[in-house]
Amino acid sequence: MTEDIDLNKAATLDPYLGQDFLTWLWFKSEKSSGMFRSTSGEDFALYIEQRIAVQGGDGDNVETAVCSGPQAEMREARLGLTTGKKVNQARVRLEQDANEWQFQLKAEDFSFGSLKTPKVAMKAEEGDDPDGPFYEKMYLIEKALEFLDGLYLQFLQTRLGPEWREEMLALRSWIMEQD
């Protein structure tokens, strides 16, 4: 699989690329039971849960549906997909081994909010590097970004490749299963 992507083509596709990515991510997460593989070959899980917003329409006619709750099944968001809305904000949970990350991801600018990484032991023993907890925290943040970057790369390769048409059919089929 090549990692060369025509970023100019990606930028001109449409301003809704972030929404396409989050919608695709929700679809892939459910279809794969949350299981993914990073570009470096590491297995991890990703779930879209607890809070999701879908949006549709243009200009003054923008409609948004937000679903939230710890056990929410996201029925309103799923219903929104059937009416042409796309995910514009999602709560994401990543898991790898015993580590868990959670964050809010916005489609419009791919910004993170409320990033929660696995806990870092702050108690240092004699002889430990006092900067160790800081470096561990930075490592954990980079790890989450690595997983997400790899998924975005996979999305772009699919979105810009000939398999997008087939992927769209599968995505539409998944959306229609939501009824």
Side-chain angles (χ1 to χ4, degrees), residues 2-143:
T2 180
E3 293 191 15
D4 294 334
I5 294 174
D6 185 347
L7 293 178
N8 291 328
K9 183 178 178 184
T12 59
L13 274 177
D14 62 53
Y16 306 107
L17 194 58
Q19 289 182 336
D20 284 351
F21 173 61
L22 287 182
T23 303
W24 176 84
L25 196 57
W26 189 13
F27 158 68
K28 294 301 265 189
S29 174
E30 289 209 358
K31 284 301 194 182
S32 69
S33 300
M35 300 308 301
F36 291 93
R37 177 159 288 156
S38 73
T39 53
S40 60
E42 297 175 84
D43 292 327
F44 66 97
L46 180 143
Y47 305 98
I48 304 288
E49 59 184 21
Q50 295 188 5
R51 186 176 196 287
I52 192 165
V54 294
Q55 190 173 61
D58 289 321
D60 293 338
N61 298 319
V62 172
E63 294 180 352
T64 303
V66 179
C67 297
S68 62
Q71 300 298 324
E73 292 182 21
M74 311 300 173
R75 277 193 206 110
E76 291 295 321
R78 292 175 192 276
L79 182 62
L81 294 179
T82 65
T83 62
K85 292 180 176 71
K86 293 181 179 179
V87 179
N88 74 331
Q89 201 174 103
R91 182 86 184 150
V92 176
R93 180 169 52 98
L94 292 170
E95 293 179 354
Q96 184 189 41
D97 301 324
N99 293 322
E100 181 178 302
W101 297 258
Q102 292 185 4
F103 53 90
Q104 191 75 24
L105 186 60
K106 290 183 178 178
E108 65 190 39
D109 57 4
F110 296 99
S111 62
F112 283 77
S114 307
L115 174 61
K116 182 178 175 186
T117 65
K119 285 197 180 266
V120 174
M122 299 302 287
K123 188 175 181 180
E125 295 185 17
E126 189 173 322
D128 285 350
D129 181 353
D131 296 330
F134 171 78
Y135 289 124
E136 187 174 347
K137 188 75 163 182
M138 292 299 105
Y139 167 78
L140 291 168
I141 291 170
E142 288 179 9
K143 199 71 181 167

Side-chain angles (χ1 to χ4, degrees), residues 150-176:
L151 290 171
Y152 190 62
L153 176 64
Q154 183 182 349
F155 165 74
L156 286 178
Q157 288 172 332
T158 303
R159 180 72 169 89
L160 301 174
E163 64 272 11
W164 181 244
R165 184 179 176 90
E166 186 175 316
E167 189 81 347
M168 281 299 298
L169 293 174
L171 197 148
R172 286 185 184 137
S173 176
W174 171 74
I175 289 171
M176 298 317 288

